Amino acid sequence: MSTHEGRFLELGDRETPRMFAPSLREAVADDPEVVGLDAAVEQLELRELEAEYPEVGHPAYPPKAMLKVLLYGYWLGLRSSRMLERACKRDDALRFLAHGLRPDHNSICRFRRRHGEQLGELFSQTVRLCQQAGLVELGQVAVDGTKVRANRSREGLAKAKREFEQALREAEEADGEEAGEREECEFMKTQEGVLPAYNAQAAVDGDHQVIVAEDVGRVPNDTGHLSPMVEQTAQACGNAPERVTADGSYYTRQGVREVEGMGTAVYLPTREPGQAKVEWVERKGAYRCLAGHWLRASRVERGRLVYQWCGCGGCPKKKACGVRGKTKRVYVWLAETPVGRVRARMRTEEGRAIHGARKQIVEPVFGRLKHNLGFRRLLLRGLSGARIEWALVCMGHNLRKWVGAVRPQGFAHSVPASILWWLRRVGGFTAGARSPGLRLDPAAHHPAPILSPCAT
């Protein structure tokens, strides 16, 4: 008798024959996410991908099956092509999504690289798919960026920069020839320290946290990304959002003008030179500097009202105010200008509340992608590789939202596959009499998923 009796579970019998589902569809019948992803990709238009393959030569793996494998891998945080190859041989879910094919890791990696340019359009299709399901309202869209570590070491990036600069100098000396486009990452401040990284951008809809626009940049700051993200949202959804929120790093006068020109109300902090060192006094209608002097309105310049004081020459607090000459100026945008409208909104309690909700919209999305899925470091190198991976993970996020809202319904998704197989072997079972909400066509060997909007 074992001395450990009662402490451990009894070992199972490994010689007993097991009961398997008779088909791959029935093997994943109790997994609505897998069936839902399969149904979602079936609705995407993949003609551009398929057109790139010639009709002669060795047959290629169908783009539809390869895309399903990649998206499901990014759902699970499984991004390595070798691990996906192994899973396609052993995991029923990936075998079902691959339609029984077993793509090797080279084919998976080449497919991912080959169709990087088409992923932008495929991502827009996932946005429209979510919009048709009622998941995108465009009432409020939050724009933010997150740093994703590149597949580079510090030493490797420093060496690559030196080599690029040397090649650039040699190209300039050789009759001004170009040295080629630089795709390297940059040193950026991340949670793990200053590391080689890329700046991943996302615009997230406020209702169901669907990503409506995405991009990746090499510059650490977010300047210049606001207008392109809103424009991409408008192209994907057919119209621009009502409101867009962002932090102060996105502020540029040109960006605000462009977004306001699309009919979208912007909510973000604005910066004006000199205003940090002055105080606005309402009863005087003027600003007061640190020394107590009044800056009064003098003229309008390029849509801004200029407040100034010209007696700063001998002022003892001139250095603290940041004045170099004899005049201190404050520029205030007029209310009828785009920046003026933004400043007026941000001064109201409602405007501050709308802007304060930005973190509740976009930060949970970044938390799920980076913490839950482990998307903290890229596998592919170069800016093109970073854009491919970011597009795939954003597409997977949107399709997961879609599957949660438009979920497959049917008998096959309510009964375990082994029981369903046994019932079919026995025969004569009808689900309608015992469970009116379940649907089953006994004559159909592979019942198609029935999709319907999720009740809210």
Side-chain angles (χ1 to χ4, degrees):
M1 181 177 179
S2 173
T3 57
H4 301 293
E5 185 177 357
R7 293 180 57 189
F8 304 107
L9 293 173
E10 183 179 355
L11 295 175
D13 183 5
R14 294 184 293 184
E15 309 302 326
T16 302
R18 294 190 297 166
M19 186 181 300
F20 291 95
S23 70
L24 288 175
R25 182 174 293 278
E26 292 175 357
V28 299
D30 57 348
D31 194 337
E33 285 196 342
V34 175
V35 179
L37 175 62
D38 179 74
V41 177
E42 289 290 340
Q43 299 190 46
L44 300 181
E45 179 56 60
L46 304 179
R47 292 182 182 177
E48 291 188 9
L49 274 68
E50 297 171 348
E52 294 190 6
Y53 295 88
E55 296 182 359
V56 297
H58 192 279
Y61 288 103
K64 176 171 58 177
M66 300 293 281
L67 186 61
K68 291 177 183 179
V69 168
L70 278 173
L71 288 174
Y72 189 66
Y74 276 78
W75 271 26
L76 305 178
L78 193 67
R79 298 181 287 137
S80 168
S81 58
R82 292 184 181 272
M83 296 182 71
L84 286 174
E85 175 190 5
R86 179 178 297 181
C88 286
K89 298 176 181 178
R90 303 182 178 183
D91 185 77
D92 284 341
L94 279 167
R95 290 175 61 205
F96 168 75
L97 294 172
H99 294 258
L101 300 175
R102 297 184 177 184
D104 59 279
H105 65 275
N106 286 326
S107 299
I108 295 173
C109 192
R110 284 196 299 265
F111 178 86
R112 183 164 48 185
R113 277 287 190 182
R114 179 175 185 174
H115 300 291
E117 295 183 358
Q118 288 91 352
L119 290 180
E121 171 56 28
L122 291 177
F123 168 78
S124 298
Q125 290 189 42
T126 66
V127 177
R128 290 191 286 271
L129 204 62
C130 292
Q131 188 179 22
Q132 294 169 5
L135 301 177
V136 177
E137 299 293 340
L138 297 180
Q140 179 171 343
V141 170
V143 179
D144 203 357
T146 184
K147 307 300 188 296
V148 183
R149 185 176 176 182
N151 190 4
R152 272 287 194 182
S153 64
R154 297 172 183 266
E155 297 77 13
L157 178 58
K159 181 181 178 182
K161 283 187 173 183
R162 290 193 299 268
E163 293 176 352
F164 179 81
E165 292 170 358
Q166 177 65 23
L168 184 61
R169 286 193 297 267
E170 293 176 356
E172 290 175 350
E173 294 173 0
D175 299 330
E177 295 179 2
E178 296 183 1
E181 183 182 357
R182 181 180 176 186
E183 278 202 343
E184 281 293 346
C185 52
E186 295 290 343
F187 286 105
M188 300 185 188
K189 186 177 180 181
T190 67
Q191 294 182 350
E192 293 81 16
V194 179
L195 296 169
Y198 290 96
N199 189 0
Q201 298 287 318
V204 182
D205 186 76
D207 291 305
H208 295 87
Q209 295 180 330
V210 172
I211 301 176
V212 292
E214 55 84 23
D215 195 11
V216 177
R218 293 177 50 247
V219 182
N221 59 62
D222 300 321
T223 304
H225 284 287
L226 182 65
S227 178
M229 297 298 283
V230 176
E231 184 176 357
Q232 185 184 150
T233 302
Q235 291 177 354
C237 301
N239 56 291
E242 296 179 12
R243 300 184 298 270
V244 61
T245 59
D247 57 37
S249 63
Y250 285 87
Y251 170 70
T252 61
R253 287 176 288 178
Q254 180 66 21
V256 169
R257 281 197 296 267
E258 292 176 354
V259 176
E260 288 278 328
M262 300 178 195
T264 300
V266 179
Y267 291 81
L268 55 74
T270 59
R271 301 183 300 273
E272 297 295 341
Q275 285 189 316
K277 304 295 179 65
V278 295
E279 176 190 7
W280 172 255
V281 181
E282 184 68 32
R283 59 184 178 84
K284 290 284 187 178
Y287 288 94
R288 183 167 55 194
C289 69
L290 297 178
H293 301 296
W294 295 99
L295 285 75
R296 302 188 183 277
S298 60
R299 65 184 184 278
V300 176
E301 181 180 300
R302 297 179 181 178
R304 297 178 297 179
L305 186 60
V306 182
Y307 292 78
Q308 67 179 19
W309 165 257
C310 302
C312 299
C315 180
K317 296 188 178 181
K318 174 181 177 180
K319 186 176 181 180
C321 282
V323 180
R324 294 184 178 180
K326 298 181 180 181
T327 305
K328 181 176 179 62
R329 297 184 180 88
V330 171
Y331 300 87
V332 178
W333 288 92
L334 298 177
E336 59 269 18
T337 62
V339 179
R341 291 194 293 269
V342 174
R343 290 176 57 82
R345 294 189 198 105
M346 294 299 293
R347 283 196 294 265
T348 64
E349 184 176 349
E350 180 185 3
R352 289 191 293 269
I354 292 174
H355 182 264
R358 177 186 62 87
K359 292 184 178 180
Q360 302 172 12
I361 297 173
V362 68
E363 292 298 340
V365 175
F366 288 156
R368 180 185 175 277
L369 299 182
K370 300 183 73 173
H371 179 75
N372 295 359
L373 300 183
F375 191 79
R376 296 181 177 274
R377 183 167 183 170
L378 299 164
L379 295 182
L380 304 182
R381 289 192 172 184
L383 181 61
S384 58
R387 286 175 172 167
I388 289 171
E389 288 210 76
W390 185 242
L392 283 171
V393 77
C394 291
M395 289 172 61
H397 172 84
N398 287 352
L399 292 180
R400 200 161 198 165
K401 291 285 185 180
W402 183 86
V403 170
V406 184
R407 53 176 178 251
Q409 294 179 351
F411 180 80
H413 308 298
S414 305
V415 180
S418 57
I419 298 179
L420 176 63
W421 176 83
W422 180 81
L423 289 174
R424 285 186 170 176
R425 285 290 299 271
V426 173
F429 178 82
T430 4
R434 302 188 185 184
S435 181
L438 304 179
R439 305 178 187 178
L440 176 65
D441 182 5
H445 187 62
H446 301 292
I450 301 172
L451 303 179
S452 66
C454 178
T456 57

